[in-house]
Every structure is written in structure tokens, then in C-alpha cells.
Amino acid sequence: EAQVTQNPRYLITVTGKKLTVTCSQNMNHEYMSWYRQDPGLGLRQIYYSMNVEVTDKGDVPEGYKVSRKEKRNFPLILESPSPNQTSLYFCASSLLGSRGGTDTQYFGPGTRLTVL
Amino acid sequence: AQTVTQSQPEMSVQEAETVTLSCTYDTSESDYYLFWYKQPPSRQMILVIRQEAYKQQNATENRFSVNFQKAAKSFSLKISDSQLGDAAMYFCALGSGTYKYIFGTGTRLKVLA
């Protein structure tokens, strides 16, 4: 089954304790991305990757790190989480559009993160 | 900067009626894609419909259709014969050659029985 998986689905942690949210896709997509969803703000892009070893900042990258060492995996790292990073996080993947740009995003189930 | 604006935080529709959700966007790119995604209470993000900007014909998927006005940078979603299962948050999104992906703030659709 074609899918994007994220782990963990739920996480409660404390300020300053490093954490990693994993993301994996089995569709051989070049493009992967992380978003956070907050009430009234929609989804905002944190980081994206066009291919292995190629990453770039989205609109809200502060406090986050990513890496793309393999095509299928794109982990999100919070090295020193703070309460304002409490949010719902989505990983997504897609093909690159035939005329350039980013096409339909296939989303993981989301990770609910609470930072105390 | 690219932007996507959804000016209707909440809409209601009677079951079996038609409703239109509005979206405007801004980009300087010539090639891009526009999308409507649905997010039911399960929080899963589901693609509803997709439009390629270079295609003038409006996309349709069963009861869902769009009105794509490229010059006006408008991309509205029409839902015909609304069903209870259509109740959800709907997000308009823009994917362009900059490789960024921009979402609007969403419209919550309520379907009244």
C-alpha cells in the first residue's frame, strides 16, 4: 500500500529535551516536506526537500532541523523544543510536477506534539 | 511572496444543496498547481481536486468542481448535492516552481440535515 508513515503519532515532552519525528514514504517520491498546523493559521511549511541531500527552508523553519540522507526518509528534529512548538505536524511527499514545481501532496497521519 | 487567502472561516449548507468556497492566491510564477484538500475530524489530509494553471479547462471530480480564473487569481470550489460526509475543513493550496507549498487558513464547512 502506497503511504507516508510518521512516528510517533502522539508525543508529550518537556522543554529542551531533543526529539525526532520520523517520516518515511514508499512511493519513490522526490519531494518531501514538513508542515505544522495551528488553529486559525492553516498548514505552514517548515522545511522541504527536492531530493536526497537537497533541503530548503519553508516559511517557519526556526527551531527545526531536517536531513534527507535517503530518498524514502525525512526526519524532523527539534533539538531544544519549546512550548510554542506544541502543534500538529504533518509529513508529506509528492512527485515533482511535469512542468516544474510541486504537485499533489500525500500526507502522513500527523503527529500531535505537546511541549510542556 | 506567494500567498493563499481563504476569506470564509466558516460556511454552512443544507444537505443536497450547493455551496461554493472561495480562494484567492498570488504568485509571480507562470506554471503552478492549485489544490483543494479536505480535512475531516480524523485530521487526515485528503486531496479533493487539482488544477494545473496552464490548463484553461476547469477541473471536476464527481460532485466537486472548480472555477479557475487565472487573471483574477481566483480558485473557488463548488460542492454540488452536499452530503453529511462533506462536513470538514477545506484548505486551498498552491504548489509552484519555487518548490514551496502554501496553504490558506481553511474554511470549516458544516452540512445541515
Side-chain angles (χ1 to χ4, degrees):
Chain A
E1 179 189 357
Q3 60 182 348
V4 177
T5 56
Q6 291 178 232
N7 283 291
R9 295 287 310 279
Y10 301 90
L11 179 60
I12 301 174
T13 189
V14 295
T15 299
K17 186 176 181 181
K18 180 178 179 179
L19 66 92
T20 299
V21 184
T22 64
C23 173
S24 183
Q25 51 97 2
N26 63 1
M27 294 170 279
N28 202 36
H29 285 165
E30 300 96 342
Y31 187 92
M32 296 187 74
S33 183
W34 278 101
Y35 303 90
R36 60 177 289 174
Q37 182 178 8
D38 302 289
L41 298 177
L43 281 78
R44 294 178 293 167
Q45 194 171 38
I46 303 171
Y47 270 96
Y48 59 94
S49 170
M50 291 81 80
N51 216 324
V52 175
E53 302 291 1
V54 182
T55 63
D56 207 348
K57 297 177 181 178
D59 288 333
V60 288
E62 295 78 18
Y64 304 95
K65 284 178 60 177
V66 294
S67 66
R68 186 96 179 271
K69 294 184 171 57
E70 303 167 287
K71 195 172 187 179
R72 62 183 293 127
N73 296 323
F74 191 47
L76 179 70
I77 303 159
L78 285 71
E79 295 211 327
S80 184
S82 62
N84 65 12
Q85 293 179 297
T86 293
S87 187
L88 177 62
Y89 291 86
F90 286 101
C91 180
S93 71
S94 75
L95 295 170
L96 293 175
S98 59
R99 294 168 64 95
T102 42
D103 208 329
T104 304
Q105 301 282 285
Y106 294 84
F107 286 86
T111 296
R112 173 72 70 184
L113 172 65
T114 301
V115 183
L116 302 175
Chain B
Q2 300 179 112
T3 59
V4 174
T5 302
Q6 294 179 251
S7 58
Q8 307 155 315
E10 192 170 291
M11 296 278 286
S12 296
V13 63
Q14 287 290 140
E15 200 175 1
E17 297 294 308
T18 295
V19 65
T20 299
L21 309 184
S22 301
C23 173
T24 58
Y25 65 94
D26 193 18
T27 179
S28 57
E29 301 287 316
S30 56
D31 281 330
Y32 52 91
Y33 300 87
L34 292 162
F35 309 88
W36 280 97
Y37 290 91
K38 171 184 178 182
Q39 187 181 46
S42 67
R43 298 290 194 178
Q44 181 65 44
M45 294 290 289
I46 303 164
L47 177 71
V48 175
I49 202 163
R50 166 185 177 270
Q51 175 80 41
E52 297 178 79
Y54 73 93
K55 291 186 177 178
Q56 296 196 349
Q57 186 173 8
N58 289 327
T60 62
E61 288 287 342
N62 301 314
R63 298 182 294 106
F64 299 88
S65 62
V66 297
N67 183 5
F68 175 45
Q69 302 285 331
K70 191 172 184 178
K73 295 184 176 176
S74 171
F75 183 62
S76 59
L77 174 70
K78 185 170 83 171
I79 306 174
S80 303
D81 185 25
S82 296
Q83 301 174 359
L84 294 176
D86 295 333
M89 280 290 285
Y90 286 82
F91 292 99
C92 180
L94 165 69
S96 75
T98 65
Y99 298 103
K100 286 191 173 182
Y101 213 86
I102 310 295
F103 284 84
T105 52
T107 297
R108 181 173 301 282
L109 179 65
K110 295 183 176 181
V111 181
L112 308 173

